Structure formats: C-alpha cells, structure tokens
Amino acid sequence: MPFNTISVVGLGYIGLPTAAVFASRKVKVIGVDVNQHAVDTINKGEIHIVEPELDIVVQAAVNQGYLTATTKPEPADAFMIAVPTPFINDKENDSHQADLSYIKAASQTIAAVLKKGDLVVLESTSPVGATEKMSGWLAEARPDLTFPQTHGEASDVRVAHCPERVLPGHVIRELVENDRVIGGMTPKCSQRAVELYKIIVQGECIVTNARTAEMAKLTENSFRDVNIAFANELSTICHKLDINVWELIRLANRHPRVNILQPGAGVGGHCIAVDPWFIVDSCPEEARLIKMARIVNDEKPEWVLARVKEQLDFIHQQNPDKTRSNITVACLGVAFKPDIDDLRESPAIGITKKIIELGCNVQVVEPNIELLPAQLDGDSVKLVSLDEALVQADIVCVLVKHTPFNESVNLIRNASRIIDAVGLLNI
C-alpha cells in the first residue's frame, strides 16, 4: 500500500529537512507545527532555521505543491513525530528525567485524524519505552482503533521508532545516505516503517524492536559524550601541567589505534548533552561511566569561566581603578557547534551569560544569528561583528570554532588577552 500523504509533526532542525526530502520525492507532505511563524515562513518557500541546502529543497517542494505547512494536523497515511525531548533537571534529587510532554501533545493532536492502516513513527530521541507510551496515548485518545500493545500484528495502526542520526550542517545529505535503525512494536510495524523510509533512504534500513532502536540512539550519543569528556578532562589536566593539549592530542593520535577527540567549551545541542541522561535516569546504579562523562562535560563551562576570571583579576591588578563595567569581553560564538544557528543546550550561551553577570561589557560575535537570544538580553551585551569586537575587547574568549573565525585567525591571534576553549589558535 503506497504512502500518498505523509505528515511530519514538528518542523524544526530534523522535522523540516525530513519533510522537505520526502516532498522532493514527489510525495505529498503536510508539515505540522505550533509555531505560526515557522508555518508561514515555510508556506512562502522559505526556512526559519540555518541548514545548508535546505532552503533550495524547501523552495522547490513548496513551489511544486508537494510540501505545505499548517498548525493543525490533517489525515495522512503516515505520521512522523519529530518534536523536542528535553530533560527535567531536578538538582535537589540529582535526577534528569526525560520530558515527554511534547510527544504526548503531538500524539493527542494527531489522534483525531488517525484511521485504520496508518503508520505512526516516533523520530524524537527518547528514553527506552517512549514509543510504547506514545502508542498508549494514541489508544487512549482513539478507543475505536486498535494498537500493537493490545492487538499485536492485527492492530489497526502500526507504530514504530526510527531515531534521526544526522549531523547538523549535513542533514540533507545524511537523511538520504545514512543507514537507519527501525524498531517497530511488531515485525509488521517494522516492515511498514521500512517501506516508508525506503522512499528517501539510500542506506540500509536495519530492523529491530522499538526498545532496542530507542537505546541505539542513546548509545550512539553517549559514546560520543564519553569520548568528548576524555578530551575535556585531558584539557584541564594539561592546563594544570603547563602542556599544550592540542599538540599533545596530535602526538597521541599518531598512534594507529588512538583517536582522541578535540576539547571544547563543553557539550551542547539537543542530543549529546541530553540523551545520556535518559540512560542514567533509567539505570542510575549501572550507568556510572556515562553519568561521570556528563558531569565532566557539564563542568567544563565553569572551567572556562574560571580562566576568564583569572584574566579579569590580572587586569584589576594592573589597573586598580578599573571596574568590571569598564572591561569588555568578546565572546566568539554562542551556537552549540560550528557553523549552525542552533543554540539549544549551548555551553557557550551559559558561559556568556555568566560573564555578563560578572558585570563586564560583553560583545557577542555569532555570524549565524541576527538577534541575541532572550537569556543574553541586557544593557551590557550586544551582538557585534568580529572586527568591532577585536578592536574594543580587553579579553577575547573563543567558544565556538566557526569558519569565519578560522578565516580570521591571524587577526584574533593578535588580541591582547585570549582564552581559546576550542583550539582555534592551534589550527
């Protein structure tokens, strides 16, 4: 049975590219999002996020009539849910529980238009068991339909999990080329989901069950997090021992079986900074290494901030009459990784905010945004060009290795006081 209409719920960094790529295959796609601005922008053939090549694909899909956006769901043959799954940080009880409210809301939203034979796929990165919960919410909303948890292979609606596994900045290509792990609640659910993804995926669609598919994505990101934590911890050790960590890593990586990652200002984004906590929350006694890696990476911004304070103290020692309000700190980059506009869970945002709280004038250089986010709002902070920042700043803090910064590395190197958290000066 063909998929004549596909609905993608959540038109963010994953949902919109997914919708656009399916639409580029001449399939009718209805994108659903609660953000009216995003919906209006897409329906004009434009995009509201930064992702290479996405604007071209969206414009073509909209102009050809294969992609439309709306705030209310419409009937379709397949529904792909790509909404956020942040965590709830309970510091008092030292827990980080997954917030599944967006998935629940999306489930309740599409339930009204579900019909027999439909497929529902959860793409959102989720803790183990989330797909089953989603199916339960759908069943509660539609008692007239049957679902896999009660009727198995005979269910009216098929339910599966297929986590996204793309790299920001390369999403359009990787949606097509990457292998996909597809976990249905039953074998027939898996098979139906494979039929859907084969419309766009040139890589292999590997079938498993829903719980294993959920864990696979969490494992991939936890693996990355643990390895980044090793690099970040190494950087703090090398600082204390007066060793250039960037040179050290280059030397160590000449070993044929060693591949140390690069240190940074911390770990951000909607995946690596979040997903490991889902494993820790589900198995707190067993996930000791994963939890420690999260702690190491979450503490790295404080270490960077300590380097800023050292420079501020030195300036005060040299200029006793100079107040914090007379000192300008330039923060180069506030996105969570290079060459994107995504600020979610960005360690650079947290560092910049705390520098503002120190009472300094702060100049933010972020070439991928036009307005500062609300958490950086204030009279003492402004968004400026790199040239302006390098002229006015007393301290330059490099937090993200954006391409424009690489291209101007010689100018940045001439700044008087530099805190380089990402190895920009060691390229």
Side-chain angles (χ1 to χ4, degrees):
M1 186 167 58
F3 293 97
N4 295 314
T5 304
I6 297 169
S7 178
V8 178
V9 183
L11 298 174
Y13 290 92
I14 299 301
L16 180 55
T18 299
V21 172
F22 270 100
S24 72
R25 300 303 191 267
K26 312 301 182 187
V27 178
K28 181 181 178 183
V29 179
I30 301 169
V32 183
D33 202 284
V34 296
N35 185 333
Q36 186 67 55
H37 170 70
V39 167
D40 293 341
T41 300
I42 294 164
N43 285 332
K44 290 188 292 185
E46 301 172 359
I47 61 175
H48 60 292
I49 57 177
V50 173
E51 178 61 41
E53 302 180 22
L54 178 61
D55 56 341
I56 299 171
V57 182
V58 168
Q59 184 180 53
V62 171
N63 290 343
Q64 293 171 15
Y66 289 104
L67 174 61
T68 58
T70 178
T71 57
K72 295 183 179 180
E74 299 176 12
D77 303 311
F79 294 84
M80 307 173 73
I81 295 179
V83 295
T85 48
F87 62 76
I88 302 169
N89 187 359
D90 184 351
K91 294 183 178 180
E92 184 175 336
N93 296 311
D94 189 29
S95 68
H96 299 74
Q97 293 185 334
D99 181 0
L100 301 183
S101 61
Y102 295 93
I103 296 176
K104 185 175 183 179
S107 302
Q108 293 171 337
T109 297
I110 67 169
V113 296
L114 280 180
K115 62 184 184 299
K116 185 175 181 178
D118 284 353
L119 168 69
V120 180
V121 180
L122 178 62
E123 279 220 353
S124 305
T125 304
S126 311
V128 174
T131 304
E132 295 164 8
K133 288 184 179 180
M134 180 188 73
S135 193
W137 291 324
L138 291 171
E140 289 175 6
R142 289 298 302 272
D144 56 313
L145 295 172
T146 60
F147 293 83
Q149 64 270 24
T150 55
H151 287 69
E153 297 286 51
S155 65
D156 292 334
V157 178
R158 306 300 188 191
V159 179
H161 182 68
C162 181
E164 56 83 12
R165 50 195 337 207
V166 292
L167 180 68
H170 303 271
V171 173
I172 296 298
R173 176 179 58 81
E174 293 202 350
L175 278 173
V176 175
E177 296 180 358
N178 287 2
D179 294 342
R180 298 299 292 261
V181 175
I182 296 176
M185 289 185 64
T186 68
K188 287 186 177 179
C189 292
S190 296
Q191 183 55 44
R192 188 61 174 150
V194 169
E195 293 170 5
L196 173 66
Y197 282 94
K198 273 303 181 182
I199 296 174
I200 65 168
V201 174
Q202 294 175 0
E204 186 177 354
C205 290
I206 304 155
V207 172
T208 183
N209 57 57
R211 295 174 75 86
T212 303
E214 290 163 339
M215 188 62 175
K217 178 59 185 293
L218 303 182
T219 299
E220 292 164 8
N221 286 330
S222 296
F223 175 85
R224 292 276 297 167
D225 197 42
V226 169
N227 282 273
I228 295 169
F230 179 79
N232 278 335
E233 186 170 276
L234 196 60
S235 72
T236 64
I237 293 170
C238 286
H239 177 79
K240 189 170 185 178
L241 298 178
D242 194 24
I243 295 170
N244 184 320
V245 68
W246 316 103
E247 179 188 5
L248 175 70
I249 290 174
R250 282 197 298 270
L251 294 172
N253 283 348
R254 295 182 73 89
H255 188 288
R257 289 170 295 281
V258 173
N259 184 23
I260 303 170
L261 301 181
Q262 298 296 297
V267 173
H270 65 296
C271 285
I272 298 179
V274 176
D275 300 350
W277 286 123
F278 296 168
I279 297 178
V280 174
D281 182 58
S282 62
C283 298
E285 296 300 321
E286 293 78 11
R288 292 173 294 173
L289 180 61
I290 295 172
K291 181 178 181 179
M292 184 53 64
R294 275 283 73 235
I295 292 171
V296 168
N297 285 333
D298 278 350
E299 289 179 348
K300 189 64 185 295
E302 289 296 331
W303 182 87
V304 176
L305 187 66
R307 307 287 76 74
V308 175
K309 291 178 180 178
E310 288 175 357
Q311 292 297 325
L312 289 172
D313 289 343
F314 186 82
I315 291 175
H316 288 313
Q317 291 172 7
Q318 298 295 311
N319 304 274
D321 297 330
K322 200 167 190 176
T323 64
R324 289 282 175 86
S325 61
N326 298 130
I327 298 174
T328 298
V329 180
C331 294
L332 307 192
V334 290
F336 85 80
K337 63 172 290 182
D339 300 329
I340 61 172
D341 68 337
D342 195 342
L343 309 182
R344 290 176 293 177
E345 305 296 330
S346 171
I349 287 277
I351 293 168
T352 303
K353 183 178 179 180
K354 290 192 175 183
I355 294 174
I356 295 169
E357 293 171 355
L358 291 175
C360 304
N361 286 312
V362 176
Q363 296 187 330
V364 176
V365 183
E366 177 48 73
N368 298 299
I369 63 174
E370 296 180 356
L371 295 172
L372 286 173
Q375 59 262 53
L376 297 184
D377 188 31
D379 295 335
S380 63
V381 57
K382 60 180 179 178
L383 186 66
V384 302
S385 68
L386 178 60
D387 289 342
E388 183 177 350
L390 294 179
V391 169
Q392 299 184 14
D394 299 292
I395 301 170
V396 173
C397 193
V398 187
L399 302 176
V400 186
K401 199 187 292 187
H402 287 309
T403 296
F405 302 159
N406 292 335
E407 295 170 347
S408 301
V409 66
N410 289 331
L411 291 175
I412 297 171
R413 191 175 276 117
N414 291 330
S416 56
R417 301 187 184 282
I418 306 174
I419 297 157
D420 182 8
V422 294
L424 178 74
L425 304 185
N426 285 271
I427 60 175

